[in-house]
Amino acid sequence: MNLAEGVRLVSLIILSVMMLGTALGVVLFENIVYSAFTLGGVFISISGLYILLNADFVSAAQILIYVGAVNVLILFAIMLVNKQEDFEVLPRRWIRKVSTAFVSLALFALLATMVLQTNWPVNPSKQPPASSVLAIGIHFFTDYLLPFELASILLLMALVGAVVIARRENIVGEETAIVSEEPPHIFELPERPREPIS
Amino acid sequence: MNLEYFLLLAAALFCIGIYGLVTSRNAVRVLMSIELLLNAVNINLVAFSNFLDGQNIRGQVFTVFVITIAAAEAAVGLAIILSIYRNRDTVDMEKFNLLKW
């Protein structure tokens, strides 16, 4: 990828402004649905930054996985817990907000001084590999084979764990009792009544 | 186009994520802030991979791993939020103090 330097700089500025603005939107919007949609904006602008950094495969994976899977999953979760509740006002909550903002700004100042004062051993002479997909695939199947396989096992564990945690507990043996009657609510699974823990 | 621009950008995103993680009261927004933190780390990894390790891009391999773990974390975290919402009938982080004291 050999874009001109000016084009790169302008797109870097545009993507940075987009990313920081939408990230602030995620944190600061009152409505949680707006936050979820601006989170999609964050992911898309980060994928543009990856293209600027010659990482085409990671950019495509970012859009596929984050925008396509994680963001949609978060939207589904918002729909499932969509309760318009007004959080009760806590006393002295502004102290927490102000102190957290102070800590975040201080951390940013620390990181910024660290970044600007370190001499990074940048070597711009080396060209990126011709096909990053090829390079990543070779890494996956030679020197990172064990983490690759472990990642597949981890995904399987997360799948099973998410299903086990999130499913409703059905009463075994009560399906037959419903079928005999005329079915007014046949689409509802019988569920054990459960009191919310106060 | 320097390495420092991307590192500063990732640091800013990380700090925004930490602010959201601590101050938000909706549990789903806490998960979104965690995604912001993971993405800041990913930007750092890809920037280092491009500027310092241009020939064999190990940083991008680690980024793919981080994306995988983040997807699994999002699924399990949202399942936990659904379960806790079904039990406590709220998503307010201030009410989730079963293990606090």
Side-chain angles (χ1 to χ4, degrees):
Chain A
M1 186 160 301
N2 286 317
L3 293 178
E5 195 66 21
V7 178
R8 286 185 169 206
L9 193 62
V10 169
S11 37
L12 172 67
I13 291 171
I14 291 175
L15 286 171
S16 313
V17 171
M18 258 178 68
M19 191 191 79
L20 291 181
T22 46
L24 283 175
V26 169
V27 174
L28 297 179
F29 266 130
E30 283 296 318
N31 195 338
I32 187 79
V33 182
Y34 294 164
S35 297
F37 280 111
T38 46
L39 187 68
V42 176
F43 292 153
I44 289 174
S45 32
I46 286 176
S47 131
L49 286 177
Y50 289 165
I51 291 179
L52 280 182
L53 287 168
N54 299 316
D56 42 6
F57 173 72
V58 181
S59 163
Q62 167 92 8
I63 287 188
L64 276 177
I65 295 175
Y66 273 113
V67 184
V70 173
N71 206 2
V72 173
L73 194 66
I74 285 176
L75 277 171
F76 265 100
I78 289 171
M79 279 197 294
L80 286 176
V81 297
N82 192 10
K83 182 183 177 189
Q84 295 295 329
E85 59 175 338
D86 296 325
F87 297 134
E88 60 180 273
V89 182
L90 288 178
R92 294 190 295 277
R93 185 168 160 71
W94 63 272
I95 293 181
R96 196 187 311 182
K97 282 194 174 182
V98 169
S99 55
T100 312
F102 176 72
V103 167
S104 302
L105 285 177
L107 180 64
F108 177 71
L110 189 70
L111 287 174
T113 45
M114 185 272 294
V115 164
L116 294 178
Q117 284 189 351
T118 310
N119 271 325
W120 302 106
V122 180
N123 43 0
S125 59
K126 289 185 180 170
Q127 285 296 313
S131 160
S132 67
V133 183
L134 197 61
I136 291 174
I138 288 173
H139 277 303
F140 270 154
F141 282 95
T142 53
D143 45 354
Y144 292 103
L145 183 61
L146 182 64
F148 183 67
E149 301 292 341
L150 282 181
S152 65
I153 295 178
L154 178 106
L155 280 178
L156 182 66
M157 283 161 53
L159 177 72
V160 176
V163 170
V164 166
I165 291 173
R167 72 167 180 183
R168 294 162 178 261
E169 294 182 15
N170 295 318
I171 305 170
V172 181
E174 201 152 299
E175 297 90 357
T176 52
I178 285 183
V179 176
S180 59
E181 305 288 327
E182 52 91 22
H185 42 264
I186 194 164
F187 295 119
E188 291 183 1
L189 282 172
E191 187 182 354
R192 178 175 296 136
R194 210 164 24 173
E195 297 296 319
I197 308 164
S198 62
Chain B
M1 290 283 291
N2 281 327
L3 176 61
E4 284 85 1
Y5 298 160
F6 290 96
L7 295 185
L8 285 177
L9 207 57
L13 189 62
F14 193 84
C15 294
I16 292 173
I18 283 184
Y19 178 77
L21 185 72
V22 178
T23 60
S24 62
R25 295 187 67 179
N26 197 326
V28 182
R29 197 185 302 243
V30 173
L31 274 185
M32 294 190 210
S33 305
I34 294 175
E35 298 295 331
L36 288 186
L37 297 182
L38 289 167
N39 272 292
V41 175
N42 277 348
I43 291 177
N44 260 350
L45 283 174
V46 177
F48 279 129
S49 147
N50 187 33
F51 285 101
L52 307 185
D53 189 21
Q55 201 54 45
N56 43 9
I57 37 176
R58 298 192 197 91
Q60 297 189 22
V61 180
F62 276 94
T63 307
V64 174
F65 283 133
V66 172
I67 288 177
T68 313
I69 308 281
E73 176 262 344
V76 176
L78 290 172
I80 288 174
I81 286 179
L82 277 187
S83 168
I84 208 169
Y85 172 73
R86 209 175 290 144
N87 279 323
R88 309 290 297 255
D89 201 26
T90 181
V91 285
D92 190 0
M93 288 299 284
E94 301 294 330
K95 301 278 180 58
F96 299 158
N97 49 8
L98 274 174
L99 292 178
K100 206 167 168 186
W101 36 61

